[in-house]
């Protein structure tokens, strides 16, 4: 499906640190026929049409800086999608190139941690054997065009599934003893940094040491089922507020201290039609009516008069939380996850 996030970015890179995913597994989403990745892979004209309709038509008013072709395709178990992912990425890139937008828009794809064989300690992380045949040529292509590695990480899920062994403060950026990676001797005081460095270790092992990791999704559920330990509004507030503070420092991870950490927060709204556990429908910073789910500095949202898919951020408390950069956009083409048209700049 067609999805969009807002983030602080400029030409050829996401040079700010903080953005928000706008998932729309709720009412009024596009049909699968409108956003089928196989068609994009098989036909360059389809890719060009998609880019013209979903990207070029919104320029220059919307500052679109990236297209993620597919969301969590590798490791999903859907071999058909895994096989067409690279072709779709190449055709979208060709379309961007033909429209003379390669200096403005990056092409990548978003991965889940399912692509990794292991991630603890971070230095031991490698790619799973069942994805490497697709991952390696994909990374080779992205390396050639200077694209980053997009990764979705959720300390909430790790803590929810193993609360006995994981310190909740380690997952929430709160004070805790942390861990030490015995191989690198690096100390980690939060899971977010450790998961990013695990991705860097896997990239290094695969021969792509110079590729940057950008977090395309992260967040914390404000509500969950009885067995979903940690899914509370208070924990969601703590996680997202502390994450904003962490990103505002504009620092890297222990393994890559010079690469400024960048992340998109999942998500803008609670998505009432998502299947699965209650937590899946409660990752939003805002409720469906635009009121805040919990306060981390945003006051509310106001729909524009033009369309329900055009929203303006309103009453941002303390603009310095965002730095003084402008909000920009990341478009995601996928048939696995969320969908949206656009968010306008402030």
């Amino acid at each position: 499906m067609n999805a969009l996030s807002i983030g602080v970015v400029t030409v050829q890179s996401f040079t700010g640190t903080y953005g928000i995913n706008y998932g729309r597994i709720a009412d009024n989403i596009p049909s699968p026929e409108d956003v089928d990745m196989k068609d994009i892979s098989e036909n360059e004209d389809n890719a060009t049409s998609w880019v013209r309709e979903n990207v070029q038509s919104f320029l220059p008013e919307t500052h679109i800086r990236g297209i993620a072709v597919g969301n969590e395709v590798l490791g999903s178990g859907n071999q058909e999608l895994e096989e067409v992912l690279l072709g779709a990425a190449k055709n979208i890139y060709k379309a961007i190139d033909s429209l003379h937008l390669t200096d403005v828009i990056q092409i990548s794809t978003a991965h889940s941690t399912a692509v990794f064989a292991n991630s603890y300690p971070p230095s031991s992380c490698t790619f799973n054997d069942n994805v490497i045949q697709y991952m390696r040529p994909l990374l080779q292509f992205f390396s050639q065009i200077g694209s980053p590695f997009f990764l979705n990480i959720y300390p909430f899920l790790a803590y929810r599934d193993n609360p006995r062994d994981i310190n909740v403060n380690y997952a929430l950026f709160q004070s805790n003893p942390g861990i030490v990676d015995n191989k690198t001797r690096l100390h980690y005081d939060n899971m977010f940094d450790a998961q990013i460095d695990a991705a860097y270790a896997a990239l290094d092992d695969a021969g792509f040491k110079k590729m940057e990791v950008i977090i395309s999704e992260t967040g914390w559920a404000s509500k969950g089922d009885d067995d979903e330990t940690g899914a509370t509004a208070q924990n969601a507030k703590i996680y997202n507020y502390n994450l904003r503070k962490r990103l505002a420092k504009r620092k890297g991870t222990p393994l890559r201290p010079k690469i400024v950490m960048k992340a998109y927060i999942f998500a803008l709204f609670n998505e009432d039609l998502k299947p699965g556990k209650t937590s899946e429908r409660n990752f939003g910073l805002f409720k469906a009516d635009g009121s805040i789910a919990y306060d981390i500095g945003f006051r509310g949202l106001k729909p524009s008069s033009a369309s329900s898919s055009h929203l303006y951020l309103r009453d941002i408390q303390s603009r310095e939380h965002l730095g003084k950069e402008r909000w920009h956009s990341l478009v995601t083409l996928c048939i696995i996850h969320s969908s949206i048209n656009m968010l306008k700049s402030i």
Side-chain angles (χ1 to χ4, degrees):
M1 297 179 213
N2 164 26
L4 186 72
S5 312
I6 55 175
V8 189
V9 291
T10 56
V11 175
Q12 285 288 16
S13 64
F14 182 164
T15 58
T17 60
Y18 187 89
I20 304 175
N21 285 283
Y22 180 5
R24 296 183 67 237
I25 299 183
D27 301 324
N28 302 318
I29 62 176
S31 67
E33 291 77 13
D34 293 334
V35 288
D36 193 313
M37 194 166 64
K38 185 177 180 181
D39 289 343
I40 298 294
S41 176
E42 294 177 346
N43 192 305
E44 290 184 26
D45 290 338
N46 287 343
T48 301
S49 296
W50 187 90
V51 170
R52 282 177 174 158
E53 179 180 351
N54 295 282
V55 178
Q56 190 181 43
S57 64
F58 294 118
L59 300 175
E61 288 81 8
T62 301
H63 300 271
I64 298 173
R65 294 298 182 255
I67 298 176
V69 184
N71 187 73
E72 301 186 355
V73 173
L74 299 189
S76 67
N78 189 323
Q79 186 175 357
E80 182 180 15
L81 288 182
E82 291 177 331
E83 290 175 348
V84 303
L85 178 59
L86 178 58
K90 287 183 175 181
N91 280 346
I92 290 293
Y93 181 77
K94 289 177 183 177
I96 292 297
D97 186 39
S98 70
L99 297 171
H100 308 291
L101 296 172
T102 54
D103 290 338
V104 178
I105 298 173
Q106 290 180 320
I107 308 297
S108 190
T109 188
H111 300 288
S112 74
T113 55
V115 300
F116 301 132
N118 53 290
S119 59
Y120 182 85
S123 63
S124 69
C125 189
T126 59
F127 287 113
N128 257 324
D129 290 340
N130 63 348
V131 304
I132 197 64
Q133 62 174 319
Y134 304 113
M135 181 66 76
R136 193 175 298 280
L138 192 66
L139 293 176
Q140 288 173 342
F141 173 63
F142 288 147
S143 179
Q144 290 169 1
I145 63 175
S147 294
F149 183 86
F150 282 167
L151 178 66
N152 301 339
I153 58 174
Y154 287 92
F156 161 71
L157 297 178
Y159 173 71
R160 181 197 68 182
D161 296 340
N162 193 11
R164 181 175 299 178
D165 296 327
I166 296 176
N167 186 332
V168 67
N169 290 327
Y170 180 65
L172 291 172
F173 301 93
Q174 302 278 68
S175 178
N176 69 95
I179 67 163
V180 174
D181 188 316
N182 290 329
K183 180 180 178 180
T184 61
R185 306 308 303 169
L186 294 174
H187 178 262
Y188 294 89
D189 60 11
N190 68 84
M191 185 181 293
F192 186 79
D193 283 30
Q195 290 184 317
I196 294 175
D197 276 355
Y200 276 123
L203 288 169
D204 192 2
D205 179 73
F208 299 91
K209 186 174 184 177
K210 295 183 179 180
M211 187 170 287
E212 179 185 10
V213 175
I214 292 178
I215 302 307
S216 40
E217 285 185 19
T218 190
W220 197 283
S222 61
K223 185 179 180 181
D225 295 325
D226 291 341
D227 62 345
E228 294 192 280
T229 304
T232 68
Q234 180 64 15
N235 282 346
K237 177 179 179 178
I238 292 171
Y239 180 80
N240 282 301
Y241 181 76
N242 285 340
L243 176 60
R244 287 182 67 183
K245 291 199 301 181
R246 171 69 180 86
L247 297 174
K249 293 178 180 179
R250 301 185 64 84
K251 294 183 178 180
T253 62
L255 188 62
R256 296 287 190 271
K258 295 182 180 180
I259 301 179
V260 176
M261 191 181 298
K262 302 152 192 172
Y264 288 93
I265 310 307
F266 189 86
L268 194 59
F269 290 109
N270 286 335
E271 299 175 82
D272 64 321
L273 298 185
K274 265 196 167 181
K277 288 182 171 293
T278 298
S279 62
E280 291 291 330
R281 296 177 288 281
N282 289 278
F283 275 90
L285 299 177
F286 298 93
K287 299 176 183 178
D289 63 2
S291 62
I292 59 172
Y294 47 87
D295 187 6
I296 61 168
F298 298 132
R299 290 292 183 86
L301 291 171
K302 179 182 179 181
S304 76
S305 58
S307 167
S308 62
S309 65
H310 294 244
L311 298 177
Y312 295 87
L313 289 178
R314 181 187 66 177
D315 295 332
I316 302 288
Q317 184 181 34
S318 302
R319 282 287 292 256
E320 58 268 27
H321 284 314
L322 304 176
K324 294 184 179 179
E325 303 97 336
R326 294 175 296 171
W327 290 82
H328 297 273
S329 305
L330 169 73
V331 178
T332 306
L333 168 68
C334 65
I335 63 172
I336 298 297
H337 202 47
S338 51
S339 68
I340 181 185
N341 286 327
M342 61 182 288
L343 285 178
K344 301 257 312 176
S345 312
I346 296 175

